[in-house]
Amino acid sequence: MQLGKVVGNVVLNNKNETLSGVTLLLVQPISSAREPVGRVIVAADSVGAGVGEHVFFVRGKEASFPFAPVEVPTDAGIVGIVDRWDLG
């Protein structure tokens, strides 16, 4: 899992029917110090995250698991909303 911050929404007028009802969000991967790391990605949202929230996301085949039994064609998926984190 990786930390990220939701920075935007993706709106599609024409999409594959397996994406019907799936919200797509723009996520900026971040470090534990809340600094941007790499490029912004598009991720399928399985938890109802919104712009400005910190999230956990996964990449690869596991990104589609929260949508089972539907096989959503995604390689990045938001699987949790972070309430807070502390560095010791």
Side-chain angles (χ1 to χ4, degrees):
M1 283 194 275
Q2 294 177 272
L3 287 168
K5 182 175 181 177
V6 179
V7 296
N9 298 297
V10 177
V11 178
L12 302 172
N13 290 321
N14 188 11
K15 60 184 172 184
N16 184 287
E17 66 183 46
T18 58
L19 287 172
S20 182
V22 176
T23 301
L24 301 175
L25 298 173
L26 296 173
V27 177
Q28 171 63 64
I30 59 173
S31 69
S32 60
R34 296 175 174 85
E35 296 295 324
V37 177
R39 295 202 230 176
V40 173
I41 63 166
V42 176
D45 180 26
S46 68
V47 295
V51 174
E53 291 188 292
H54 290 103
V55 295
F56 274 121
F57 69 96
V58 294
R59 293 185 181 189
K61 177 92 172 129
E62 291 80 9
S64 66
F65 290 177
F67 301 99
V70 176
E71 291 189 30
V72 174
T74 184
D75 63 353
I78 298 170
V79 295
I81 298 172
V82 178
D83 292 321
R84 70 171 231 222
W85 77 84
D86 302 309
L87 297 176

Coordinates of all heavy atoms in Angstrom, one line a residue:
M1 N 0.8 -1.2 0.0 CA 0.0 0.0 0.0 C 0.9 1.2 0.0 O 2.0 1.2 0.5 CB -0.9 0.0 1.2 CG -2.1 -0.9 1.1 SD -3.3 -0.6 2.4 CE -2.7 -1.6 3.7
Q2 N 0.3 2.3 -0.5 CA 1.0 3.6 -0.6 C 0.1 4.7 -0.1 O -1.1 4.6 -0.2 CB 1.4 3.9 -2.0 CG 2.5 2.9 -2.6 CD 2.7 3.3 -4.1 OE1 2.1 2.8 -4.9 NE2 3.8 4.1 -4.2
L3 N 0.7 5.7 0.4 CA 0.0 6.9 0.8 C -0.2 7.8 -0.4 O 0.7 8.0 -1.2 CB 0.7 7.6 1.9 CG 0.7 7.0 3.3 CD1 1.8 7.7 4.2 CD2 -0.6 7.1 3.9
G4 N -1.3 8.5 -0.4 CA -1.5 9.5 -1.4 C -2.5 10.6 -1.0 O -3.1 10.4 0.1
K5 N -2.6 11.6 -1.7 CA -3.6 12.7 -1.5 C -4.5 12.8 -2.7 O -3.9 13.0 -3.8 CB -2.9 14.0 -1.1 CG -3.9 15.1 -0.8 CD -3.2 16.3 -0.4 CE -4.2 17.4 0.0 NZ -3.6 18.6 0.5
V6 N -5.8 12.8 -2.5 CA -6.7 13.0 -3.6 C -6.6 14.5 -4.1 O -6.9 15.4 -3.2 CB -8.1 12.6 -3.3 CG1 -9.1 12.8 -4.4 CG2 -8.2 11.1 -2.8
V7 N -6.3 14.7 -5.3 CA -6.1 16.1 -5.8 C -7.1 16.5 -6.9 O -7.1 17.6 -7.3 CB -4.7 16.3 -6.3 CG1 -3.7 16.2 -5.2 CG2 -4.4 15.4 -7.5
G8 N -8.0 15.5 -7.3 CA -9.0 15.9 -8.3 C -9.9 14.7 -8.7 O -9.7 13.6 -8.2
N9 N -10.9 15.0 -9.5 CA -11.8 14.0 -10.0 C -11.6 13.8 -11.5 O -11.1 14.7 -12.2 CB -13.3 14.6 -9.9 CG -13.6 14.8 -8.4 OD1 -13.7 13.9 -7.6 ND2 -13.9 16.1 -8.1
V10 N -12.0 12.7 -12.0 CA -12.0 12.3 -13.4 C -13.5 12.2 -13.8 O -14.2 11.4 -13.2 CB -11.2 11.1 -13.7 CG1 -11.3 10.7 -15.2 CG2 -9.8 11.2 -13.2
V11 N -13.9 12.9 -14.9 CA -15.2 12.8 -15.4 C -15.2 12.2 -16.8 O -14.4 12.7 -17.6 CB -15.9 14.2 -15.4 CG1 -17.3 14.0 -16.0 CG2 -16.0 14.8 -14.0
L12 N -15.9 11.1 -17.0 CA -15.9 10.5 -18.3 C -17.3 10.5 -18.9 O -18.3 10.1 -18.2 CB -15.5 9.0 -18.2 CG -14.1 8.8 -17.6 CD1 -13.9 7.3 -17.3 CD2 -13.0 9.3 -18.5
N13 N -17.5 10.8 -20.1 CA -18.8 10.8 -20.8 C -19.0 9.4 -21.4 O -20.1 8.9 -21.6 CB -18.9 11.9 -21.9 CG -19.0 13.2 -21.3 OD1 -19.6 13.4 -20.2 ND2 -18.3 14.2 -21.8
N14 N -18.0 8.8 -21.9 CA -18.1 7.5 -22.5 C -17.0 6.5 -21.9 O -15.8 6.8 -22.0 CB -17.8 7.7 -24.0 CG -18.1 6.4 -24.8 OD1 -18.7 5.5 -24.3 ND2 -17.7 6.4 -26.1
K15 N -17.5 5.5 -21.3 CA -16.5 4.6 -20.6 C -17.0 3.1 -20.8 O -18.2 2.9 -21.1 CB -16.3 4.9 -19.2 CG -17.6 4.9 -18.3 CD -17.3 5.4 -16.9 CE -18.6 5.5 -16.1 NZ -18.3 6.1 -14.8
N16 N -16.1 2.2 -20.5 CA -16.4 0.8 -20.5 C -17.4 0.5 -19.5 O -17.4 1.0 -18.4 CB -15.1 0.0 -20.2 CG -15.2 -1.4 -20.3 OD1 -15.9 -2.1 -19.4 ND2 -14.7 -2.0 -21.3
E17 N -18.4 -0.4 -19.8 CA -19.5 -0.6 -18.9 C -19.1 -1.2 -17.6 O -19.8 -1.1 -16.6 CB -20.5 -1.5 -19.6 CG -20.1 -2.9 -19.9 CD -21.1 -3.7 -20.6 OE1 -21.7 -3.2 -21.6 OE2 -21.3 -4.9 -20.2
T18 N -17.9 -1.9 -17.5 CA -17.4 -2.4 -16.2 C -17.0 -1.3 -15.3 O -16.8 -1.5 -14.1 CB -16.2 -3.4 -16.4 OG1 -15.2 -2.7 -17.1 CG2 -16.7 -4.6 -17.2
L19 N -16.9 -0.1 -15.8 CA -16.5 1.1 -14.9 C -17.8 1.8 -14.5 O -17.7 2.8 -13.8 CB -15.6 2.1 -15.7 CG -14.2 1.6 -15.8 CD1 -13.4 2.6 -16.7 CD2 -13.5 1.5 -14.5
S20 N -19.0 1.3 -14.9 CA -20.2 2.0 -14.5 C -20.4 2.0 -13.0 O -20.2 1.0 -12.3 CB -21.4 1.2 -15.1 OG -22.6 1.9 -14.8
G21 N -20.6 3.2 -12.4 CA -20.7 3.3 -11.0 C -19.4 3.4 -10.2 O -19.4 3.6 -9.0
V22 N -18.3 3.3 -10.9 CA -17.0 3.4 -10.3 C -16.5 4.9 -10.4 O -16.4 5.4 -11.5 CB -16.0 2.5 -10.9 CG1 -14.6 2.7 -10.3 CG2 -16.4 1.0 -10.8
T23 N -16.2 5.5 -9.2 CA -15.6 6.8 -9.2 C -14.1 6.8 -9.5 O -13.4 6.0 -8.8 CB -15.9 7.5 -7.8 OG1 -17.3 7.5 -7.6 CG2 -15.3 8.9 -7.8
L24 N -13.6 7.6 -10.4 CA -12.2 7.7 -10.6 C -11.7 9.0 -10.1 O -12.3 10.1 -10.3 CB -12.0 7.6 -12.1 CG -12.4 6.4 -12.8 CD1 -12.2 6.5 -14.3 CD2 -11.7 5.1 -12.3
L25 N -10.6 8.9 -9.3 CA -10.0 10.1 -8.7 C -8.5 10.3 -9.1 O -7.8 9.3 -9.4 CB -10.1 10.0 -7.2 CG -11.5 9.9 -6.6 CD1 -11.5 9.7 -5.1 CD2 -12.3 11.2 -6.9
L26 N -8.0 11.5 -9.1 CA -6.6 11.8 -9.3 C -5.9 11.7 -7.9 O -6.4 12.4 -7.0 CB -6.4 13.1 -9.9 CG -7.0 13.3 -11.3 CD1 -6.9 14.7 -11.8 CD2 -6.3 12.4 -12.3
V27 N -4.9 10.9 -7.8 CA -4.2 10.8 -6.5 C -2.7 11.1 -6.7 O -2.0 10.6 -7.6 CB -4.3 9.3 -6.0 CG1 -3.5 9.1 -4.8 CG2 -5.8 9.0 -5.8
Q28 N -2.2 12.0 -5.9 CA -0.8 12.3 -5.8 C -0.1 11.4 -4.8 O -0.4 11.6 -3.6 CB -0.6 13.8 -5.5 CG 0.9 14.2 -5.2 CD 1.8 14.0 -6.4 OE1 1.6 14.7 -7.4 NE2 2.7 13.1 -6.3
P29 N 0.8 10.5 -5.2 CA 1.5 9.7 -4.2 C 2.3 10.6 -3.3 O 2.9 11.6 -3.8 CB 2.4 8.8 -5.0 CG 1.7 8.7 -6.4 CD 1.1 10.1 -6.6
I30 N 2.4 10.3 -2.0 CA 3.1 11.1 -1.1 C 4.0 10.3 -0.1 O 3.7 9.1 0.0 CB 2.2 12.0 -0.2 CG1 1.2 11.2 0.6 CG2 1.5 13.1 -1.0 CD1 0.4 12.0 1.6
S31 N 5.0 10.9 0.4 CA 5.8 10.2 1.4 C 5.2 10.3 2.8 O 4.2 11.0 3.0 CB 7.2 10.9 1.4 OG 7.1 12.2 2.0
S32 N 5.8 9.6 3.8 CA 5.3 9.7 5.1 C 5.4 11.1 5.7 O 4.7 11.5 6.7 CB 5.9 8.7 6.0 OG 7.3 8.9 6.1
A33 N 6.2 11.9 5.1 CA 6.4 13.3 5.5 C 5.4 14.2 4.7 O 5.6 15.5 4.8 CB 7.8 13.8 5.3
R34 N 4.5 13.6 4.0 CA 3.5 14.3 3.2 C 4.0 15.1 2.0 O 3.4 16.1 1.6 CB 2.7 15.3 4.1 CG 1.9 14.5 5.2 CD 1.2 15.5 6.2 NE 0.3 14.8 7.1 CZ 0.7 14.2 8.2 NH1 1.9 14.3 8.6 NH2 -0.2 13.6 9.0
E35 N 5.2 14.7 1.5 CA 5.8 15.4 0.3 C 5.4 14.6 -0.9 O 5.3 13.4 -0.9 CB 7.3 15.4 0.5 CG 7.8 16.2 1.6 CD 7.5 17.7 1.5 OE1 7.5 18.2 0.3 OE2 7.2 18.3 2.5
P36 N 5.1 15.3 -2.0 CA 4.8 14.6 -3.3 C 5.9 13.7 -3.7 O 7.1 14.0 -3.6 CB 4.5 15.7 -4.3 CG 4.3 16.9 -3.4 CD 5.0 16.7 -2.2
V37 N 5.5 12.5 -4.2 CA 6.5 11.5 -4.7 C 6.0 11.0 -6.1 O 4.9 10.4 -6.1 CB 6.6 10.3 -3.8 CG1 7.6 9.3 -4.3 CG2 7.1 10.8 -2.4
G38 N 6.6 11.3 -7.2 CA 6.2 10.9 -8.5 C 5.0 11.6 -9.1 O 4.7 12.7 -8.6
R39 N 4.4 11.0 -10.1 CA 3.4 11.6 -10.8 C 2.0 11.3 -10.3 O 1.8 10.3 -9.6 CB 3.4 11.1 -12.2 CG 4.6 11.5 -13.0 CD 4.3 11.4 -14.4 NE 5.2 10.7 -15.3 CZ 5.0 10.4 -16.5 NH1 3.9 10.9 -17.1 NH2 5.8 9.8 -17.3
V40 N 1.1 12.2 -10.6 CA -0.3 12.0 -10.2 C -0.9 10.8 -11.0 O -0.5 10.6 -12.2 CB -1.2 13.3 -10.5 CG1 -2.7 13.0 -10.3 CG2 -0.7 14.4 -9.6
I41 N -1.7 9.9 -10.4 CA -2.3 8.8 -11.1 C -3.8 8.8 -11.0 O -4.3 9.6 -10.2 CB -1.7 7.5 -10.4 CG1 -2.2 7.3 -9.0 CG2 -0.2 7.3 -10.5 CD1 -2.0 6.0 -8.4
V42 N -4.4 8.0 -11.8 CA -5.9 7.9 -11.8 C -6.1 6.6 -11.0 O -5.5 5.5 -11.3 CB -6.5 7.8 -13.2 CG1 -8.0 7.5 -13.1 CG2 -6.2 9.1 -13.9
A43 N -7.0 6.6 -10.0 CA -7.3 5.4 -9.2 C -8.8 5.3 -9.1 O -9.5 6.2 -8.9 CB -6.7 5.6 -7.8
A44 N -9.2 4.0 -9.1 CA -10.6 3.7 -8.8 C -10.9 3.8 -7.3 O -10.1 3.2 -6.5 CB -10.9 2.3 -9.4
D45 N -12.0 4.4 -6.9 CA -12.3 4.7 -5.5 C -13.2 3.6 -5.0 O -14.4 3.6 -5.5 CB -12.8 6.1 -5.3 CG -13.1 6.4 -3.9 OD1 -12.6 5.8 -3.0 OD2 -14.0 7.2 -3.7
S46 N -12.8 2.8 -4.0 CA -13.7 1.8 -3.4 C -14.3 2.2 -2.1 O -15.0 1.5 -1.4 CB -13.0 0.5 -3.4 OG -12.0 0.5 -2.4
V47 N -13.9 3.4 -1.6 CA -14.2 3.8 -0.2 C -14.9 5.1 -0.1 O -15.3 5.5 1.1 CB -13.0 3.8 0.7 CG1 -12.4 2.4 0.8 CG2 -11.9 4.8 0.2
G48 N -15.2 5.8 -1.1 CA -15.9 7.1 -1.1 C -15.0 8.3 -0.6 O -15.5 9.2 0.0
A49 N -13.8 8.3 -1.1 CA -12.8 9.4 -0.8 C -13.2 10.6 -1.5 O -13.9 10.6 -2.5 CB -11.4 8.9 -1.1
G50 N -12.7 11.8 -1.1 CA -12.9 13.0 -1.7 C -11.7 13.8 -1.9 O -10.6 13.5 -1.3
V51 N -11.8 14.9 -2.7 CA -10.6 15.8 -2.9 C -10.1 16.3 -1.6 O -10.9 16.8 -0.8 CB -11.0 16.9 -3.9 CG1 -9.9 17.9 -4.1 CG2 -11.4 16.3 -5.3
G52 N -8.8 16.3 -1.4 CA -8.2 16.8 -0.2 C -7.9 15.8 0.8 O -7.1 16.0 1.8
E53 N -8.5 14.6 0.7 CA -8.3 13.5 1.7 C -7.0 12.8 1.4 O -6.6 12.6 0.3 CB -9.4 12.6 1.8 CG -10.7 13.2 2.3 CD -11.8 12.2 2.5 OE1 -12.3 11.7 1.6 OE2 -12.1 12.0 3.7
H54 N -6.4 12.3 2.5 CA -5.2 11.4 2.4 C -5.8 10.0 2.4 O -6.7 9.6 3.1 CB -4.3 11.6 3.6 CG -3.6 12.9 3.6 ND1 -3.9 13.9 4.4 CD2 -2.5 13.3 2.8 CE1 -3.1 14.9 4.1 NE2 -2.3 14.6 3.2
V55 N -5.2 9.1 1.5 CA -5.7 7.8 1.3 C -4.6 6.8 1.2 O -3.4 7.1 1.0 CB -6.5 7.7 0.0 CG1 -7.8 8.6 0.1 CG2 -5.7 8.1 -1.3
F56 N -5.0 5.5 1.3 CA -4.1 4.4 1.0 C -4.6 3.9 -0.3 O -5.8 3.8 -0.6 CB -4.3 3.2 2.0 CG -3.5 3.3 3.2 CD1 -4.1 3.3 4.5 CD2 -2.1 3.3 3.2 CE1 -3.4 3.3 5.6 CE2 -1.4 3.4 4.3 CZ -2.0 3.4 5.6
F57 N -3.6 3.6 -1.2 CA -4.0 3.0 -2.5 C -3.0 1.9 -2.8 O -1.9 1.8 -2.3 CB -4.0 4.1 -3.6 CG -2.7 4.6 -4.0 CD1 -2.0 4.1 -5.1 CD2 -2.1 5.7 -3.3 CE1 -0.7 4.6 -5.5 CE2 -0.9 6.2 -3.7 CZ -0.2 5.7 -4.7
V58 N -3.5 1.0 -3.7 CA -2.7 -0.2 -4.1 C -2.6 -0.1 -5.6 O -3.5 0.5 -6.3 CB -3.3 -1.5 -3.6 CG1 -3.3 -1.6 -2.1 CG2 -4.8 -1.7 -4.1
R59 N -1.6 -0.8 -6.1 CA -1.4 -0.9 -7.6 C -1.4 -2.4 -8.0 O -1.1 -3.2 -7.2 CB -0.1 -0.2 -8.0 CG -0.1 1.3 -7.8 CD 1.1 1.9 -8.3 NE 1.1 3.3 -8.0 CZ 2.0 4.2 -8.5 NH1 2.9 3.8 -9.3 NH2 1.9 5.5 -8.3
G60 N -1.6 -2.6 -9.3 CA -1.6 -3.9 -9.8 C -2.9 -4.6 -9.7 O -4.0 -4.0 -9.5
K61 N -2.9 -5.9 -9.8 CA -4.2 -6.8 -9.8 C -5.0 -6.5 -8.6 O -6.2 -6.5 -8.6 CB -3.8 -8.2 -10.0 CG -4.9 -9.2 -9.9 CD -5.5 -9.5 -11.3 CE -6.5 -10.6 -11.2 NZ -7.7 -10.3 -11.8
E62 N -4.3 -6.3 -7.4 CA -5.0 -6.1 -6.2 C -6.0 -4.9 -6.2 O -6.9 -4.8 -5.4 CB -4.0 -6.0 -5.0 CG -3.3 -7.3 -4.7 CD -2.1 -7.5 -5.6 OE1 -1.8 -6.7 -6.5 OE2 -1.6 -8.6 -5.6
A63 N -5.7 -4.0 -7.1 CA -6.5 -2.8 -7.2 C -8.0 -3.1 -7.5 O -8.9 -2.3 -7.2 CB -5.9 -1.8 -8.2
S64 N -8.2 -4.2 -8.2 CA -9.6 -4.5 -8.6 C -10.3 -5.4 -7.6 O -11.5 -5.5 -7.6 CB -9.6 -5.3 -9.9 OG -8.9 -6.5 -9.8
F65 N -9.6 -5.9 -6.6 CA -10.2 -6.8 -5.6 C -11.4 -6.2 -4.8 O -12.4 -6.9 -4.6 CB -9.2 -7.3 -4.6 CG -8.2 -8.3 -5.2 CD1 -7.1 -8.8 -4.4 CD2 -8.2 -8.7 -6.5 CE1 -6.2 -9.6 -4.9 CE2 -7.3 -9.6 -7.0 CZ -6.3 -10.1 -6.2
P66 N -11.4 -4.9 -4.4 CA -12.5 -4.4 -3.6 C -13.8 -4.4 -4.4 O -14.9 -4.3 -3.8 CB -12.1 -3.0 -3.3 CG -10.6 -3.0 -3.3 CD -10.3 -4.0 -4.4
F67 N -13.8 -4.5 -5.7 CA -15.0 -4.4 -6.6 C -15.5 -5.8 -6.9 O -16.5 -5.9 -7.7 CB -14.6 -3.6 -7.9 CG -14.1 -2.3 -7.6 CD1 -12.8 -2.0 -7.6 CD2 -15.0 -1.2 -7.3 CE1 -12.3 -0.7 -7.3 CE2 -14.6 0.1 -7.0 CZ -13.2 0.3 -7.0
A68 N -14.9 -6.9 -6.4 CA -15.4 -8.2 -6.7 C -16.9 -8.4 -6.4 O -17.3 -7.8 -5.4 CB -14.5 -9.2 -6.0
P69 N -17.6 -9.1 -7.1 CA -17.2 -10.0 -8.2 C -17.0 -9.4 -9.6 O -16.6 -10.0 -10.5 CB -18.4 -11.0 -8.3 CG -19.6 -10.2 -7.9 CD -19.1 -9.2 -6.9
V70 N -17.3 -8.1 -9.7 CA -17.1 -7.3 -10.9 C -15.6 -7.2 -11.1 O -14.8 -6.9 -10.2 CB -17.7 -5.9 -10.9 CG1 -17.4 -5.2 -12.2 CG2 -19.2 -6.1 -10.7
E71 N -15.1 -7.4 -12.3 CA -13.7 -7.2 -12.6 C -13.5 -5.8 -13.2 O -13.6 -5.7 -14.4 CB -13.2 -8.3 -13.6 CG -13.1 -9.7 -12.9 CD -12.4 -10.7 -13.7 OE1 -11.5 -10.4 -14.5 OE2 -12.8 -11.9 -13.6
V72 N -13.2 -4.9 -12.4 CA -12.9 -3.5 -12.8 C -11.6 -3.4 -13.5 O -10.6 -3.8 -12.9 CB -13.1 -2.5 -11.6 CG1 -12.7 -1.1 -12.1 CG2 -14.5 -2.6 -11.1
P73 N -11.5 -2.8 -14.7 CA -10.2 -2.7 -15.4 C -9.3 -1.6 -14.8 O -9.3 -0.5 -15.4 CB -10.5 -2.5 -16.8 CG -11.9 -1.8 -16.8 CD -12.5 -2.4 -15.5
T74 N -8.7 -1.8 -13.7 CA -7.9 -0.7 -13.1 C -6.5 -1.3 -12.6 O -6.4 -2.5 -12.3 CB -8.6 -0.1 -11.9 OG1 -7.9 1.0 -11.4 CG2 -8.9 -1.1 -10.8
D75 N -5.5 -0.4 -12.6 CA -4.2 -0.9 -12.0 C -3.9 0.0 -10.8 O -2.8 -0.2 -10.3 CB -3.1 -0.8 -13.1 CG -2.8 0.6 -13.6 OD1 -3.6 1.5 -13.3 OD2 -1.9 0.7 -14.4
A76 N -4.8 0.8 -10.4 CA -4.7 1.6 -9.1 C -6.0 1.7 -8.5 O -7.0 2.1 -9.1 CB -4.0 2.9 -9.4
G77 N -6.1 1.4 -7.2 CA -7.3 1.5 -6.5 C -7.2 2.1 -5.0 O -6.3 1.7 -4.3
I78 N -8.1 3.0 -4.7 CA -8.1 3.5 -3.3 C -8.8 2.5 -2.4 O -9.9 2.1 -2.7 CB -8.8 4.9 -3.3 CG1 -8.0 5.9 -4.1 CG2 -8.9 5.4 -1.8 CD1 -8.8 7.2 -4.4
V79 N -8.1 2.1 -1.3 CA -8.7 1.1 -0.4 C -8.9 1.5 1.0 O -9.4 0.8 1.8 CB -7.8 -0.2 -0.4 CG1 -7.8 -0.9 -1.8 CG2 -6.4 0.1 0.0
G80 N -8.5 2.8 1.3 CA -8.7 3.3 2.7 C -8.5 4.8 2.7 O -7.7 5.4 1.9
I81 N -9.2 5.4 3.6 CA -9.1 6.8 3.9 C -8.3 7.0 5.2 O -8.6 6.4 6.2 CB -10.4 7.6 4.0 CG1 -11.2 7.4 2.7 CG2 -10.3 9.0 4.4 CD1 -12.6 7.9 2.8
V82 N -7.2 7.8 5.2 CA -6.4 7.9 6.4 C -7.0 9.0 7.3 O -7.2 10.2 6.9 CB -5.0 8.3 6.0 CG1 -4.1 8.6 7.2 CG2 -4.4 7.3 5.1
D83 N -7.3 8.7 8.5 CA -7.8 9.6 9.5 C -6.6 10.5 10.0 O -6.7 11.7 10.2 CB -8.5 9.0 10.7 CG -9.8 8.3 10.2 OD1 -10.5 8.9 9.4 OD2 -10.1 7.2 10.7
R84 N -5.5 9.8 10.3 CA -4.3 10.5 10.8 C -3.1 9.6 10.8 O -3.3 8.4 10.8 CB -4.5 11.2 12.2 CG -4.6 10.2 13.3 CD -4.6 10.9 14.6 NE -3.6 10.3 15.5 CZ -3.7 10.0 16.7 NH1 -4.9 10.3 17.3 NH2 -2.8 9.4 17.4
W85 N -1.9 10.1 10.9 CA -0.7 9.3 11.1 C 0.3 10.2 11.8 O 0.3 11.4 11.7 CB -0.2 8.6 9.9 CG 0.6 9.5 8.9 CD1 1.9 9.8 9.0 CD2 0.1 10.1 7.7 NE1 2.3 10.5 7.9 CE2 1.2 10.7 7.1 CE3 -1.1 10.2 7.1 CZ2 1.1 11.4 5.9 CZ3 -1.2 10.8 5.9 CH2 -0.2 11.5 5.3
D86 N 1.1 9.5 12.7 CA 2.1 10.1 13.5 C 3.4 9.4 13.3 O 3.5 8.2 13.1 CB 1.7 10.0 15.0 CG 0.4 10.6 15.3 OD1 0.1 11.7 15.0 OD2 -0.4 9.9 16.0
L87 N 4.4 10.3 13.2 CA 5.8 9.7 13.1 C 6.5 9.8 14.4 O 6.5 10.8 15.1 CB 6.6 10.5 12.0 CG 6.1 10.5 10.6 CD1 6.9 11.4 9.7 CD2 6.1 9.1 10.1
G88 N 7.0 8.6 14.9 CA 7.6 8.6 16.2 C 8.8 9.2 16.3 O 9.5 10.0 16.6

